[in-house]
Amino acid sequence: MSDRFHPVALRHLLKIIFNELDNRGTVFGIPEELFFIPERHPYLAAELFGQRLETPVGVAAGPHSQMAQNIIVAWLMGARYIELKTIQTLDELSVPKPCIDIPDEGYNCEWSQELKIQESFNEYLNAWIIIHILNHRLGRGDETGTIFNMSVGYNLQGIMNENVQWFLARMRHCDDELAVKC
């Protein structure tokens, strides 16, 4: 087993998800009856940053929130505030494993981005697209009640670098990328 993350193409992820959902009633092994159904819990809804959240529950940024499939699973289980893994200008690192280790006290290798910035963007966009498709497929309409919270770092000099500025611009407006993927 590799200790490196390998992004899966959108088309392939969709094929895996819908094949499994249609044939077994599961997504990544999670039975459909365990999926969060917002209509059953309207008292959890909130508004944040002028956007509706179906729940204030979410996942914190970490290695897991770099990959589309993990974001999708979190959403299926009720996470609606998705804190995406922090990207930084240094995106070609050899990351010590585990980058977060909690045997009895916490250790986190801060410079732990494992994907290149463009790969991170693609993973986030793939997750966003699939969440919207699943939302429709599960009969929930157009609004997902979900916020993707992006994080960039770790200093102003890094944030001002061209690759991070590219990421910020695409996260704000990704119409061209959406047109290609959809």
Side-chain angles (χ1 to χ4, degrees), residues 15-145:
K15 186 176 179 181
I16 291 168
I17 289 168
F18 288 109
N19 182 46
E20 189 177 335
L21 189 57
D22 292 340
N23 294 314
R24 290 185 242 153
T26 63
V27 173
F28 300 123
I30 300 170
E32 190 171 357
E33 57 267 13
L34 295 180
F35 296 172
F36 177 76
I37 300 172
E39 295 78 26
R40 292 185 185 162
H41 310 280
Y43 52 87
L44 292 176
E47 187 170 306
L48 185 63
F49 308 126
Q51 290 186 259
R52 185 180 187 316
L53 272 175
E54 291 179 336
T55 74
V57 175
V59 291
H64 57 285
S65 66
Q66 290 181 79
M67 306 302 292
Q69 55 268 42
N70 294 339
I71 295 168
I72 293 161
V73 165
W75 181 84
L76 285 169
M77 300 309 296
R80 294 301 188 265
Y81 191 83
I82 312 292
E83 186 180 33
L84 303 170
K85 174 71 176 131
T86 303
I87 62 101
Q88 64 253 354
T89 195
L90 299 174
D91 66 354
E92 292 190 53
L93 304 170
S94 177
V95 179
K97 301 292 194 272
C99 63
I100 297 177
D101 190 17
I102 310 287
D104 57 9
E105 34 183 287
Y107 164 76
N108 180 13
C109 171
E110 281 301 316
W111 295 93
S112 61
Q113 178 177 336
E114 298 186 59
L115 299 176
K116 293 178 146 275
I117 287 176
Q118 290 187 341
E119 290 174 320
S120 293
F121 170 77
N122 283 327
E123 287 298 294
Y124 303 155
L125 183 58
N126 288 349
W128 187 88
I129 291 168
I130 292 173
I131 285 169
H132 280 78
I133 292 170
L134 279 169
N135 200 56
H136 266 282
R137 173 70 184 273
L138 298 171
R140 299 186 188 148
D142 292 333
E143 291 299 318
T144 63

Side-chain angles (χ1 to χ4, degrees), residues 156-173:
L156 182 58
Q157 181 182 358
I159 292 169
M160 297 309 295
N161 278 342
E162 188 175 322
N163 59 346
V164 176
Q165 289 297 305
W166 174 91
F167 177 83
L168 293 171
R170 292 310 174 286
M171 290 294 283
R172 277 191 301 268
H173 301 287

